[in-house]
Amino acid sequence: AMLFSFVERMGIEFHGFSAGQIASVLLVTAIVNLVPGFVAMQLQNRLAPPTVMMLGPSLQIGFALLMVSVGLFPAYFIAVAIYPFLIVFTHVFAFGFFAEREPSGRAVAATPAMNMMGSAIGPILGGVLVQQFGYQSLAVGALVVGGTAVVCALQVARRVRGGRVATTA
């Protein structure tokens, strides 16, 4: 939410793309993002959730850097169209993983609230970054948030490999 809230303004003001180009990007993004849940469902038994939980944010960081730093429309188009797909795909895997592993159900119950918090805080944080430091700072913000997610996913992967399972307190 921190970065994607500024896709339209960043494309027009920072990169100089036309409103029509940005509209085409957003249209394709809407169409592409009809499928991440279905794709995740098809791959749920083929991919390890901790791996997806590490790769998803890593790819999001890469696409964020691409969106902000590359002024070529095709690169921007691809990054914007795929970025939300990665978010939804990764969230589906994480949600399923926590639902399966956490016996109390608290993590599953808290997931919608966590998503809503991120959706609310993201644009505010992004707006502060853009106003204070410019659009390039969104890539740094994505790097910090995504890097934190990767570190957390690494910890989850280590615990899963070690055979430890969450317990209720």
Side-chain angles (χ1 to χ4, degrees), residues 37-127:
F38 178 74
V39 173
M41 181 182 72
Q42 296 300 314
L43 296 175
Q44 71 180 352
N45 295 321
R46 293 183 179 101
L47 300 174
T51 302
V52 173
M53 291 163 39
M54 285 184 282
L55 287 177
S58 299
L59 290 170
Q60 289 173 34
I61 292 167
F63 281 109
L65 292 171
L66 191 63
M67 268 188 257
V68 172
S69 61
V70 177
L72 301 172
F73 184 70
Y76 188 78
F77 187 98
I78 291 168
V80 170
I82 294 174
Y83 194 81
F85 179 97
L86 291 170
I87 294 168
V88 173
F89 184 82
T90 305
H91 277 88
V92 169
F93 265 83
F95 186 81
F97 176 78
F98 294 132
E100 181 181 295
R101 291 244 177 214
E102 202 273 307
S104 74
R106 289 182 290 204
V108 172
T111 300
M114 290 186 287
N115 284 336
M116 288 186 280
M117 288 273 297
S119 295
I121 292 170
I124 295 168
L125 177 58

Side-chain angles (χ1 to χ4, degrees), residues 50 54 150-164:
M54 285 184 282
V150 170
V151 168
C152 290
L154 279 168
Q155 294 300 314
V156 168
R158 284 191 187 123
R159 287 184 181 204
V160 169
R161 271 188 244 118
R164 286 183 266 159

